Amino acid sequence: MLLKVENLTHIYMPDTTFSKTAIENVSFSIEKGEFIGLIGHSGSGKSTLIQHLNGLLTPTEGKIFYNGEDIWSDKEKIRRIRFEIGLVFQYPEAQLFEETVYKDIAFGPKNMGLSEEEIKQRVYDACDIVGIREEMLEKSPFELSGGQKRRVAIAGVLAMKPSIIILDEPTAGLDPKGRNSILNRIKQLHESWGITVILVSHSMEDIANNASRIIVMDHGKIVMDGGTEQVFSRVDELEKIGLSVPQVTKVFFELKKAGYPVNTNILTTGEGRDEILRVLGKRGDMKC
Amino acid sequence: MLKDITLGQYYPADSVVHKLDSRTKILITLLYMVMIFVVDGFIGFGVLLLFNIFLLFLSKIPAKFIFKGLKPILFFVVFTVILNMFMTDGKVAFRFIFWDVTYEGIFTAVFMALRIIFLVIGTSFLTYTTSPITLTDGIERLLSPFQRIGVPAHELAMMMSIALRFIPTLIEETDKIMKAQKARGADFETGSLIKRGKNLVPILVPLFISAFRRAEDLATAMEARCYNGGENRTRLKELKYTRLDAYAWGFMLLLFALILIIRIIGFDIRGF
Amino acid sequence: MEEIIQAMDLSYQYMNEDEESVLVLDHLNITVPKGQFLSVLGHNGSGKSTFAKHLNAILLPCGGKVYVAGLDTSCEEKTLEVRRNVGMVFQNPDNQIVASVVEEDVAFACENLGVPQAEMRKRVDEALKSVGMYEYRDRAPHMLSGGQKQRVAIAGIIAMRPECIVLDEPTAMLDPMGRQEVLKTIKKLNKDYGLTIVLITHYMEEAALSDRIIVLEKGQVLIDDKPRDVFKNVAVLKQTGLDVPQTTELLFELRRAGIHVPFDKLTVAECVGELEKLLGGTEKCC
């Protein structure tokens, strides 16, 4: 087990009139190499949860284990955990500060105390995976376009070579082209580096296209945790808490409801097309 | 941590103090400051204490808020106390290691501490009971007679109200940037003073860039909403003096007279 | 029908850092009749935001003319009049709120225009009610959600009593709930008050709600049609880097697989209806 969260509770400003329980008694674990989608509407506790995973917030109660070790067992070592569990915040381009793209991406590895050689290697590797060309490395990050800035910021976290990467809405505010390109890079990253990914997103379509497991949060609690098909089959429950399923999945649920012999475990338009063709084909065979 | 700062925040409530004209409140606060420095003994401070308790009661602000506002200046108060205690000449009260502590020192220290505390508490009533917009409105009106001699009253007031509006936004932003850099292994807690100063660069640069960006956006948005400087503007909430303001002034002048009398007659307790 | 916006032969260019001139709008001709709900689509850099900024004289044309309610935007004395007629809502909800109290922010434009106090009070209350934020009038804007902040911004525009509202990617930074709130508000203002709406967006689902869609590409009009007909051009849209709703895409994929279905269907219900027709025989025969 790579990461394990046990009975995690977080209360903001405890013992005051403003005290607010953001997450309550949350437990789950993550295996190496998983691609997890974390969904829930704003205020459901998603961001509080992910900030616990790399020790940016301290639990009010409960424990987090990384490779079997309590991440808060030694306060001095919490920085090391942050190199292992990378967190990319929403609108991460807000964190860019260096004179050049290279230096900015090198900030994380430098904090790790690596050699110049190693840092260089890591910067190049990170750039390669997010699609930043070499000639951009000496530019100022502030000259880049929005989509490029976003990639540089993500590369800045990847350069630490974490074993888990958490991305909070990595495509927010981008146009469809930029959105798809970032998502494809993340998919590639998961496949070629074998890195464990936790993707926070409001787009059910993006989650369906990428994640193999979904964790659903509502009012600070985990209300569903399971395979993508399984979670998206609980359409009514999801809609009750203000979430949805991918449009195409919804279409097949409606068809099933109307009495047609279709499968409902459809997540992408490609699968949808094949399913319709399959049902039509069957009819053809029967030669009515 | 950053969210603990309550100084300079507005606490909406329905009270007579809230209803006072902001000009009255600003001028009264100035008068109050004068009073703090006129007072030079325990009876005077006792009168001020009663006045503050009366205000607390009138303004319906939870006492907790007032005390929370004191937290950030605690260090400053302690510093003043220590400085005054050890640096004042006079009759020796006791010896602290190799420093003489004098009676005069103790009293000056206590008076200074009380002055700072009363100053903060009293002025925080102004910001707690006056919305930033009416506050800046009041300042603008009070300054407007000086416009003829080139004081940019409207511009100053607008700048202040925008600054107040963006404080919470920027605090939130600082928090977020700090976390993002921490996630990349930045360390703000250890190292020498110089190193710590240097470590702030990854926070300050993004913060400045975002602030400039916001300023630019805001300027466009204001222009798009027909902002055209201070001329011919009207107000949603026009300032208007009411009978309440007259009462407040009457009360404050009486209080001021009382404090002056205590001072001039000189029967206040300034030591043993 | 009376035209509220007329862009005639509109061109705009600027100098980049390398001293090259970049043409953002290329002899654009767009007219918007009163009361229409128009969506302008395009990927980043297509010129859609630049176009929006011309509609209330934040930018002035390098070539051609823009008329708003009959006023020439490049005429400096008319700038205020233009901006009173065409209000603008921007992408970042935080960066367009001026005041620290909701109702005072809504009043900002009216204050600038010198609207008398009693009249202003009336307008502010009405505007807040029309976007469903009246209960929040005493709140501090930074305590609101993104969707609520955008509604406050919209109320601030409505209080000016404009003819037209231009919204420049108002939902790009919002969560799905906030997006719903804002869209519902826009749709309602268009329907109930007959306000002309120009919505700049890159979300297809949002554009589908409008009366007309213009797709911009390299500063020129690529498509200008009703939503239904725009979505027929799935291949073209994808090429310009835009998405189509999954329902449209599903039908489009079936069509490519040789099955004859119309794919100008936008909603889940319409798509289901179409597939039911297609699968109709399945049940009958079994």
Side-chain angles (χ1 to χ4, degrees):
Chain A
M1 221 167 293
L2 190 58
L3 192 75
K4 193 173 163 206
V5 174
E6 236 178 49
N7 306 95
L8 183 67
T9 296
H10 189 86
I11 304 173
Y12 284 109
M13 297 196 261
D15 310 319
T16 67
T17 41
F18 302 105
S19 98
K20 192 181 165 268
T21 308
I23 43 178
E24 203 180 337
N25 206 13
V26 163
S27 302
F28 63 95
S29 52
I30 294 170
E31 302 290 343
K32 195 171 182 306
E34 279 194 284
F35 196 129
I36 297 176
L38 179 60
I39 60 177
H41 54 79
S42 313
S44 61
K46 287 174 303 179
S47 11
T48 309
L49 176 63
I50 57 175
Q51 289 179 42
H52 277 89
L53 302 185
N54 74 339
L56 282 176
L57 290 175
T58 21
T60 311
E61 261 169 72
K63 283 200 161 81
I64 298 145
F65 298 93
Y66 175 70
N67 272 331
E69 192 190 341
D70 181 356
I71 65 167
W72 284 103
S73 61
D74 182 358
K75 273 191 179 174
E76 306 293 309
K77 285 188 183 151
I78 198 70
R79 265 179 74 206
R80 241 187 35 207
I81 293 296
R82 293 183 188 144
F83 302 134
E84 291 294 327
I85 304 170
L87 173 57
V88 179
F89 277 92
Q90 208 174 5
Y91 303 104
E93 53 274 21
Q95 76 196 29
L96 301 176
F97 72 99
E98 277 285 12
E99 293 150 53
T100 66
V101 170
Y102 179 91
K103 279 188 186 169
D104 208 288
I105 299 175
F107 181 67
K110 226 179 216 161
N111 285 329
M112 296 169 81
L114 300 172
S115 70
E116 281 302 321
E117 265 314 288
E118 177 71 22
I119 292 175
K120 193 171 173 191
Q121 189 56 46
R122 288 184 169 216
V123 172
Y124 277 83
D125 286 353
C127 286
D128 193 41
I129 199 87
V130 299
I132 296 167
R133 278 163 299 149
E134 216 182 310
E135 62 262 30
M136 276 160 64
L137 286 178
E138 289 312 310
K139 277 194 179 175
S140 157
F142 305 109
E143 287 171 23
L144 307 179
S145 75
Q148 286 170 330
K149 275 187 200 161
R150 179 80 45 102
R151 289 178 205 203
V152 171
I154 295 175
V157 175
L158 285 176
M160 301 189 299
K161 293 245 163 114
S163 59
I164 301 177
I165 187 155
I166 309 165
L167 299 123
D168 188 0
E169 295 265 354
T171 59
L174 297 179
D175 66 355
K177 220 187 206 161
R179 231 151 49 202
N180 291 335
S181 133
I182 293 265
L183 284 170
N184 286 336
R185 296 285 173 179
I186 294 169
K187 205 168 187 167
Q188 257 179 46
L189 174 74
H190 177 244
E191 280 156 15
S192 64
W193 283 17
I195 193 171
T196 309
V197 180
I198 302 177
L199 175 67
V200 180
S201 178
H202 285 306
S203 162
M204 299 304 146
E205 284 78 13
D206 292 349
I207 295 276
N209 284 329
N210 293 289
S212 56
R213 170 181 164 195
I214 299 180
I215 296 177
V216 186
M217 291 198 72
D218 188 41
H219 291 295
K221 290 185 179 138
I222 292 183
V223 289
M224 291 179 215
D225 181 355
T228 306
E229 282 179 13
Q230 189 229 324
V231 169
F232 279 147
S233 70
R234 297 160 78 174
V235 186
D236 295 338
E237 285 167 78
L238 284 169
E239 284 180 348
K240 209 180 267 169
I241 57 174
L243 297 170
S244 56
V245 297
Q247 261 196 335
V248 63
T249 314
K250 178 90 181 156
V251 166
F252 280 85
F253 266 95
E254 294 293 322
L255 284 174
K256 181 91 180 180
K257 228 189 253 172
Y260 294 94
V262 292
N263 288 322
T264 50
N265 57 347
I266 306 301
L267 298 174
T268 62
T269 49
E271 286 172 26
R273 177 200 55 208
D274 294 345
E275 178 62 14
I276 295 283
L277 291 176
R278 184 187 67 82
V279 175
L280 284 175
K282 208 159 80 185
R283 186 180 60 174
D285 292 342
M286 291 172 75
K287 289 192 182 100
C288 306
Chain B
M1 158 188 60
L2 288 164
K3 283 177 184 142
D4 289 342
I5 300 170
T6 55
L7 198 70
Q9 270 180 20
Y10 175 53
Y11 181 89
D14 185 27
S15 82
V16 272
V17 188
H18 283 78
K19 280 191 192 111
L20 280 179
D21 190 290
S22 62
R23 286 168 293 185
T24 310
K25 278 188 272 188
I26 293 167
L27 292 175
I28 280 180
T29 307
L30 290 176
L31 182 65
Y32 170 82
M33 287 180 188
V34 173
M35 283 195 259
I36 286 176
F37 287 96
V38 169
V39 164
D40 65 343
F42 286 114
I43 295 180
F45 279 117
V47 172
L48 287 185
L49 180 67
L50 284 178
F51 170 63
N52 275 298
I53 292 171
F54 180 56
L55 259 186
L56 187 70
F57 170 73
L58 271 186
S59 64
K60 297 183 184 167
I61 290 167
K64 221 171 22 192
F65 268 70
I66 304 289
F67 292 120
K68 245 171 89 187
L70 282 175
K71 240 201 255 166
I73 60 145
L74 205 64
F75 168 78
F76 189 59
V77 172
V78 171
F79 182 74
T80 321
V81 165
I82 291 173
L83 211 66
N84 276 295
M85 227 150 87
F86 293 112
M87 302 303 232
T88 317
D89 291 329
K91 199 169 144 220
V92 178
F94 62 91
R95 247 180 116 75
F96 181 74
I97 312 176
F98 51 85
W99 284 94
D100 286 332
V101 177
T102 61
Y103 284 113
E104 286 81 353
I106 294 173
F107 282 109
T108 336
V110 171
F111 286 157
M112 282 314 281
L114 284 173
R115 280 201 180 111
I116 297 171
I117 290 169
F118 276 118
L119 192 69
V120 172
I121 292 180
T123 46
S124 65
F125 274 115
L126 175 66
T127 49
Y128 275 135
T129 62
T130 321
S131 83
I133 288 251
T134 38
L135 186 63
T136 46
D137 238 20
I139 294 171
E140 182 177 351
R141 290 303 168 82
L142 288 173
L143 285 178
S144 60
F146 304 104
Q147 227 158 6
R148 238 168 282 161
I149 56 162
V151 177
H154 168 75
E155 285 76 5
L156 275 174
M158 188 49 101
M159 265 158 56
M160 271 179 57
S161 74
I162 288 173
L164 284 169
R165 145 78 184 88
F166 275 92
I167 284 172
T169 311
L170 288 178
I171 287 177
E172 218 169 90
E173 181 125 19
T174 313
D175 196 46
K176 198 194 135 190
I177 293 172
M178 239 166 114
K179 277 183 177 160
Q181 307 300 26
K182 269 188 183 170
R184 293 204 280 166
D187 182 9
F188 304 118
E189 276 111 31
T190 57
S192 66
L193 213 58
I194 295 174
K195 193 165 163 268
R196 278 200 215 187
K198 249 177 145 178
N199 287 348
L200 288 181
V201 173
I203 299 176
L204 293 179
V205 172
L207 201 57
F208 273 120
I209 285 169
S210 126
F212 279 121
R213 162 101 220 231
R214 284 183 195 279
E216 214 182 300
D217 280 4
L218 187 71
T220 314
M222 283 169 72
E223 261 186 42
R225 281 158 80 184
C226 304
Y227 182 68
N228 204 14
E231 272 166 61
N232 305 323
R233 282 193 97 218
T234 47
R235 288 304 163 89
L236 178 66
K237 291 174 187 158
E238 289 289 350
L239 296 179
K240 234 189 264 153
Y241 286 120
T242 61
R243 193 172 286 198
L244 215 54
D245 296 282
Y247 292 148
W249 270 115
F251 178 77
M252 285 312 284
L253 289 175
L254 277 177
L255 189 71
F256 188 52
L258 179 65
I259 279 184
L260 270 182
I261 290 167
I262 294 173
R263 166 86 185 229
I264 292 165
I265 295 178
F267 65 80
D268 205 345
I269 305 160
R270 296 179 195 105
F272 297 126
Chain C
M1 210 185 269
E2 198 188 330
E3 263 119 27
I4 189 83
I5 288 166
Q6 277 177 290
M8 289 156 84
D9 210 23
L10 169 62
S11 292
Y12 183 79
Q13 55 194 20
Y14 70 94
M15 289 289 183
N16 67 5
E17 294 108 38
D18 305 326
E19 303 278 308
E20 298 155 12
S21 83
V22 182
L23 191 62
V24 191
L25 297 178
D26 187 2
H27 301 276
L28 211 54
N29 284 296
I30 293 175
T31 51
V32 185
K34 207 172 169 160
Q36 189 172 61
F37 181 174
L38 166 70
S39 290
V40 180
L41 288 167
H43 61 82
N44 289 347
S46 60
K48 59 186 193 309
S49 257
T50 311
F51 171 66
K53 290 197 175 85
H54 275 86
L55 301 183
N56 74 343
I58 291 173
L59 292 176
L60 297 176
C62 295
K65 286 274 179 210
V66 177
Y67 292 97
V68 165
L71 306 159
D72 182 350
T73 60
S74 58
C75 180
E76 223 173 282
E77 300 93 73
K78 296 275 164 62
T79 305
L80 271 188
E81 191 60 11
V82 167
R83 290 184 178 152
R84 200 196 62 71
N85 275 295
V86 179
M88 186 130 174
V89 176
F90 299 87
Q91 187 185 72
N92 190 328
D94 276 318
N95 297 358
Q96 54 186 319
I97 291 181
V98 187
S100 324
V101 180
V102 166
E103 63 176 6
E104 287 177 5
D105 188 74
V106 174
F108 183 72
C110 291
E111 292 181 333
N112 294 333
L113 291 165
V115 176
Q117 200 191 3
E119 164 79 8
M120 188 172 352
R121 184 77 255 174
K122 211 179 95 204
R123 286 197 193 183
V124 167
D125 289 349
E126 270 178 29
L128 278 167
K129 279 176 189 156
S130 70
V131 300
M133 288 296 291
Y134 186 67
E135 290 74 39
Y136 294 85
R137 62 192 178 281
D138 291 329
R139 302 282 184 92
H142 72 270
M143 305 296 273
L144 304 178
S145 74
Q148 291 173 327
K149 282 181 205 165
Q150 286 300 51
R151 278 149 67 200
V152 169
I154 294 172
I157 301 299
I158 293 172
M160 292 198 299
R161 301 269 161 93
E163 297 275 347
C164 171
I165 302 186
V166 180
L167 303 105
D168 190 0
E169 297 192 34
T171 60
M173 299 181 78
L174 305 183
D175 63 359
M177 253 186 226
R179 278 173 61 190
Q180 284 306 322
E181 286 170 26
V182 170
L183 285 174
K184 245 197 211 152
T185 309
I186 298 172
K187 190 81 193 158
K188 182 181 155 217
L189 292 173
N190 175 249
K191 247 176 101 187
D192 298 356
Y193 298 81
L195 269 168
T196 312
I197 305 279
V198 178
L199 173 67
I200 316 284
T201 181
H202 45 232
Y203 289 108
M204 277 295 170
E205 306 93 280
E206 296 181 1
L209 296 172
S210 54
D211 303 326
R212 170 185 172 198
I213 294 179
I214 288 178
V215 179
L216 286 186
E217 169 80 356
K218 291 186 186 131
Q220 289 178 320
V221 176
L222 185 71
I223 307 172
D224 179 352
D225 222 327
K226 289 200 177 77
R228 222 161 271 289
D229 297 317
V230 170
F231 288 117
K232 276 187 192 156
N233 305 306
V234 179
V236 184
L237 288 174
K238 289 201 140 191
Q239 233 167 31
T240 56
L242 291 169
D243 264 344
V244 291
Q246 273 195 327
T247 45
T248 314
E249 190 164 343
L250 175 65
L251 296 171
F252 177 70
E253 293 263 342
L254 283 170
R255 175 85 150 237
R256 272 217 304 216
I259 293 183
H260 191 80
V261 281
F263 50 81
D264 57 344
K265 301 297 170 221
L266 304 175
T267 65
V268 169
E270 284 178 343
C271 178
V272 170
E274 210 49 58
L275 289 174
E276 279 189 34
K277 263 188 243 162
L278 183 66
L279 296 173
T282 329
E283 268 188 328
K284 254 184 248 159
C285 76
C286 299

